[in-house]
Each structure stands twice: as C-alpha cells, then as structure tokens.
Amino acid sequence: MSHIENAPPPPAGFRILDLFAGPGGLDVAADVLGYQVTGIEWDDDACATREAAGMDTFHGDVRQYSAALFPHAQVLTGGPPCQTFTVAGHGAGRRALDDVLGYIERLHAVVRKDGAKWEGISRTWREITEELEEKAAKAERIKAEKHKVDALRAVERKTIKKSLQERGSSQERIDRVLKALRASRDLAPEDADLNDLVAQYSSLGAVLKSLKAELEKLGDERTGLVLQPLWWVIERSRRPGLEPFEAVVLEQVPAVMPVWEKYTEVLSTLGYRTRTQLMFTEAFGVPQTRKRAVLMARLGETEIPEVTETHERYRPRSMPTRASTEGTLLWDAEEAGPDRTPKKAWVSMETALKKARSIAPDLPDRPAFTVVSNYGTGGDPGARGERDHDAPSATITGKVSRNRLVHKDTKEDLPEECARFTFAEAGVLQTFPVAYPWSGKDQPQQIGNAVPPLLALHVLRHVLEPELSDEQARARLEQAVADLEAWQPGERVKVRKHGEWEGHPLTGK
C-alpha cells in the first residue's frame, strides 16, 4: 500500500518568516507542507517571481525590518548572502569570517550574563551596527577615490600610447608596454628606456594598490547581513513583550558552517536544541550535486537528530554506483527506514527532465547529452567541467544558461533549440516545480541562488514535525513531493513595502 494512502493529516500550521527569501525555494516547500510563509526580499527581480508565484512578500533590505514587526511569526528561516565567505581561508574571506565570529561572541557575552537587561543587549547590537555602518561609509569613500585613480591611470595610458606612437615605436612594442601597464607589471628589460615615461602611471599604481589593501581590510558591507537572523532570534527571545520563535532553519554554502556553529552557542543559551549538518543535495533526491551548510534549532527539550539521507551520494564513474532509472515521482521521495533499507539511487538529469516533460510536453526532448560547464576545472579556465545526462547535474549557478549541451558520444553541439537548458529546466534541476513562473530579469541568477525546494522540504518536515513516527514521516514526505511536482501558481500576491502592515497575519495590525 502506498505511503500516500497512509499519510496523516497536515500538522497544525506554523507561520514562517523567511529572511533573504529569494525567488521562493524554501517558500514553495513550506507551501506544499501546508505552512503559511512570508518572505522578505530586496531584489526586484526575485520579488517579481515571488509575486507571479503567489508568494507573500515584503520588499526591502532585511536591515530595515525587525523581529518586533512580525510578532505572530513562529518560525524563522533564511539564507543570508555569502559572497564574503566563499573565499574563506584566502585573505579577505578569512578576515570577514573572523569579524563575524567576533561579533557573535560579543552578542553572546551580553546575552548570557546573569540578569541581562534588554537595554544592555540592544546597546551592544547598536554598537555593532554602528561599527559596520562606519566601515561601509569609509569603504564607499575609498571606492570613490579608487575610481578617480582608475580614471587617471586610463588617461595616463592614452598619453603613453600617443607618446610611443609619436616616437615611432612599433605596434608590437606599444601593445607589449600597454599590456604590462594594465597588468601592473614591470616593463620588459628591452623597454627599460621608457621607465621615465611611465613613472607617473607607476606611482598611481602604487596608490591604487594601497587603496585596494584598505578596502580588503574593511571588508564587504554585506558581511554584517549574516548576523541578522541571530539578532532576530535574540530580539524575539529577550525583548519584553515578545515570544521566542519556536524553530529556526538557516542554510548557506559550506564556508558559512563556522558561523552556524557559533550561532548554536547563542541559541543554546536562549533555550534551543540545535543541529548543524553539511547536506549533499543529491542524497535527498535533488538531481544535482550541491553542498549546503544547514542550521536547525527548536525551542525546548526535543533533540534534533541529523536529517536522514534518502538517496546515494554521487560518485565519479570509476566508483561503483547505481544509475537512477526507477521511480514514478520526479524526485523519488521514498526514504531509507530505520531498518537500514538500502537508499535509493541518486536522481539523474535525464530522469528529472523526462518526468518534467510528462508534465510540460513543450520542453525539449533531447538525445543523450553531455553538459559542458561555463567554468574551468583544476584552475585551468580552458578545462571545462562535463557531466553526462545520466548523472546528476553539477551545481546549478547563476551562469547555468551559459552551459553548453552537446551530443554525449561525438561532443558535437546539439541543435540550437535544445543546446541550452531552458529556465524551466534549470528550475527543475533545482527541484522547483516545472510550472514555477520565473519572472523579472536575470532569471538564471535567481535560479542559481535559490535553495532547492526538495532539500528545504526535507529539512522543514524534519524540524517542524518531530512528533511523527517514521512511517508517518515517510508518508508525509511522499505526499509532499508529489504535491511539489504538481504545484501550480496561485493568485498573484502584490508585494508589500515597509510600512504596509495593515491586515497582515504576521504583524497583528
């Protein structure tokens, strides 16, 4: 008998507030689970997609809002920007990470004090915010100065080129000198006689190098955004008149895991049970290899175990694995049970796209193909990564529309009409419903930045429904995956602006 036939009724619905909500990856997962979700998103294009999808949204910078404005939200979720952490361990990224960990420790120090008053806690947050704002303002001044220096260098290059032409220098020499100047390299020995001519340009280069070093020390103003979810949890937990969030779910790239680990120290002080987990998306039925660092927290005494992987992890061809050919659901939701039932095989691009075509027949029907990545591998820009149709996709990024699809055996380009993934197909590889109404500009970037809905579905069900038995959880998940496949946009929901609180269920106004 199908698990779906035994599926329990949906649990009492939580009201979820999703920070940095993007186009709605977590939101559509929450929707099929029966939860009410409101997102806060600053990007106009992502908001256009959310509006078309019927997702409730407030537009604007998360920093313009506060937890106190949404007293009826019961669950906080989000994926704060990660740009400054993607190079962690390499200069600026490492410093950004160290800065954030230091700020979290400052907040924790005041929160865990015996008899800590709200005034002292909020004062510490204001001080941190002011420090970040001062850094951002100084960085803007330096960027303006850097822009001026760049402009002066461009003028100097033109002057040098004109002087070389007037001297009768060969085009080869002119090109060689200008190339060295653009790369901020010393001139070749045979061009040493030009050192006086390029002296002013070189001095401007030294100024530019100094400005770049200052900017690197100041860091990216977006670094502070990763602190926002923690502050919202602290405010709801310690500000008089507010109630704590019942649960928290945050996700980002693996480089952010040290931040989540530091978060858990503060959340434990606030009365939460926590779990961090590095999740491999293909191990949860997503037809794509992608790693996400996830933080899960629940108020009270209920421990949070790891989310059980339901599918095999992808391994290169040289390692034994099973191809994904079975299953009637697009993302094959059947979980491995506590009796160590073997996991399902990972889901291939071919399997996911074939199922999508059964729902949307106008999608391209391709022969066996290989995806040639827009990115190089092993540090060689020319060595493009490749992944065959019968394997999960490589990580879907904002450059997905630049990937080329070629015949698997001959490597010849496919016909133009199917040589690239459509936006709907790229969304399917992220496990968005094939009917998801991508809107606005730069849709590939929206798709690449989103959390895979199927991964979000696993995590939300795990954190918000701990009372379900293993059998009930399997049935619940299978039904939700089927609903995710069949999801259709609801009525358009007009995006609200800051201050448009009246009548909203989370504001109580």
Side-chain angles (χ1 to χ4, degrees):
M1 182 176 291
S2 168
H3 289 310
I4 293 177
E5 295 175 14
N6 289 330
F14 284 103
R15 296 185 293 271
I16 299 173
L17 183 61
D18 189 21
L19 307 183
F20 313 100
L26 182 139
D27 305 55
V28 71
D31 185 52
V32 299
L33 284 169
Y35 299 124
Q36 300 175 39
V37 59
T38 296
I40 300 178
E41 175 55 42
W42 74 274
D43 182 70
D44 292 340
D45 298 320
C47 284
T49 295
R50 294 180 62 84
E51 183 172 303
M55 297 298 174
D56 188 47
T57 308
F58 279 90
H59 178 261
D61 190 326
V62 165
R63 292 169 293 192
Q64 296 176 330
Y65 295 83
S66 72
L69 295 172
F70 303 95
H72 297 300
Q74 299 163 296
V75 177
L76 185 71
T77 63
C82 63
Q83 288 89 342
T84 54
F85 298 103
T86 55
V87 289
H90 299 278
R94 182 68 246 181
R95 277 190 291 274
L97 179 58
D98 289 343
D99 286 346
V100 166
L101 296 180
Y103 289 134
I104 295 173
E105 182 54 41
R106 283 170 61 180
L107 285 168
H108 193 196
V110 67
V111 166
R112 68 184 172 216
K113 281 183 179 178
D114 290 337
K117 299 273 176 87
W118 170 245
E119 290 77 11
I121 296 171
S122 60
R123 186 186 310 115
T124 298
W125 176 245
R126 283 196 305 272
E127 290 170 354
I128 290 173
T129 301
E130 288 168 2
E131 288 178 26
L132 290 168
E133 289 173 349
E134 287 174 9
K135 284 185 177 183
K138 187 175 181 179
E140 286 302 314
R141 293 193 295 270
I142 293 174
K143 286 176 184 177
E145 183 63 26
K146 179 178 174 291
H147 180 73
K148 291 178 183 178
V149 174
D150 279 329
L152 289 172
R153 275 163 53 96
V155 171
E156 278 295 313
R157 280 198 304 273
K158 290 179 180 179
T159 301
I160 292 167
K161 180 179 180 180
K162 182 178 180 181
S163 179
L164 290 171
Q165 289 170 337
E166 290 173 348
R167 293 184 183 195
S169 298
S170 68
Q171 189 61 47
E172 181 184 357
R173 189 184 197 198
I174 293 173
D175 291 343
R176 184 174 67 241
V177 170
L178 293 179
K179 184 176 181 180
L181 294 179
R182 290 191 186 93
S184 298
R185 296 196 308 265
D186 292 335
L187 296 180
E190 60 267 32
D191 298 319
D193 59 308
L194 301 177
N195 283 331
D196 289 343
L197 179 64
V198 303
Q200 177 64 17
Y201 185 89
S202 298
S203 66
L204 288 171
V207 173
L208 188 64
K209 184 177 181 181
S210 175
L211 292 173
K212 287 180 177 178
E214 286 189 65
L215 277 176
E216 191 172 292
K217 288 180 182 177
L218 288 170
D220 191 313
E221 62 94 14
R222 293 170 295 182
T223 298
L225 291 173
V226 79
L227 297 171
Q228 285 292 323
L230 180 62
W231 175 245
W232 286 54
V233 175
I234 291 172
E235 183 175 14
R236 282 287 297 266
S237 298
R238 291 301 174 86
R239 184 169 180 168
L242 297 180
E243 295 293 328
F245 290 112
E246 293 187 39
V248 179
V249 173
L250 304 173
E251 65 84 35
Q252 248 312 332
V253 295
V256 182
M257 186 64 87
V259 177
W260 295 160
E261 296 289 359
K262 197 71 175 174
Y263 260 47
T264 64
E265 298 175 14
V266 186
L267 293 174
S268 295
T269 297
L270 296 174
Y272 289 86
R273 290 290 185 269
T274 64
R275 170 73 61 178
T276 58
Q277 185 173 346
L278 180 64
M279 303 183 76
F280 296 75
T281 57
E282 79 276 14
F284 295 91
V286 178
Q288 172 195 176
T289 54
R290 188 185 193 107
K291 297 177 186 177
R292 304 304 284 178
V294 178
L295 167 63
M296 300 166 276
R298 181 139 186 160
L299 192 66
E301 300 302 317
T302 302
E303 296 290 344
I304 302 177
E306 283 201 344
V307 187
T308 302
E309 294 183 351
T310 57
H311 293 66
E312 293 177 347
R313 295 184 188 179
Y314 175 71
R315 291 175 175 80
R317 295 284 182 192
S318 58
M319 302 182 71
T321 186
R322 290 181 292 134
S324 175
T325 56
E326 71 271 30
T328 57
L329 292 176
L330 177 52
W331 299 300
D332 215 351
E334 190 170 325
E335 293 187 69
D339 58 352
R340 298 187 178 276
T341 301
K343 296 176 182 177
K344 291 287 185 178
W346 39 255
V347 179
S348 70
M349 290 181 278
E350 178 182 40
T351 299
L353 295 176
K354 181 179 179 181
K355 179 62 179 180
R357 285 196 304 276
S358 73
I359 300 171
D362 57 331
L363 292 179
D365 186 2
R366 301 179 180 85
F369 63 84
T370 296
V371 181
V372 181
S373 174
N374 179 58
Y375 295 99
T377 59
D380 179 2
R384 304 294 182 179
E386 297 184 358
R387 193 71 68 84
D388 289 338
H389 67 115
D390 53 356
S393 169
T395 299
I396 298 295
T397 72
K399 308 299 183 185
V400 62
S401 60
R402 299 184 186 180
N403 293 345
R404 292 170 41 243
L405 276 61
V406 300
H407 286 278
K408 180 180 177 182
D409 296 324
T410 66
K411 305 301 182 187
E412 293 179 358
D413 288 343
L414 289 174
E416 186 62 31
E417 61 270 18
C418 61
R420 313 273 176 178
F421 286 130
T422 66
F423 297 157
E425 288 177 313
V428 165
L429 296 178
Q430 276 274 59
T431 63
F432 277 90
V434 68
Y436 209 72
W438 300 103
S439 305
K441 301 175 184 177
D442 207 355
Q443 294 173 27
Q445 193 68 51
Q446 295 182 48
I447 296 168
N449 286 347
V451 56
L454 183 55
L455 184 71
L457 193 154
H458 275 270
V459 175
L460 289 173
R461 195 227 56 77
H462 184 76
V463 175
L464 301 183
E465 304 171 6
E467 72 282 359
L468 297 185
S469 67
D470 291 339
E471 182 68 17
Q472 288 176 323
R474 283 193 292 273
R476 176 86 161 119
L477 182 62
E478 187 169 342
Q479 179 65 65
V481 173
D483 291 343
L484 183 61
E485 288 182 8
W487 182 94
Q488 293 288 328
E491 293 185 10
R492 296 179 71 93
V493 176
K494 187 176 183 298
V495 174
R496 294 178 181 239
K497 298 177 181 177
H498 187 282
E500 296 180 346
W501 317 122
E502 188 173 352
H504 195 277
L506 297 190
T507 66
K509 296 182 181 179

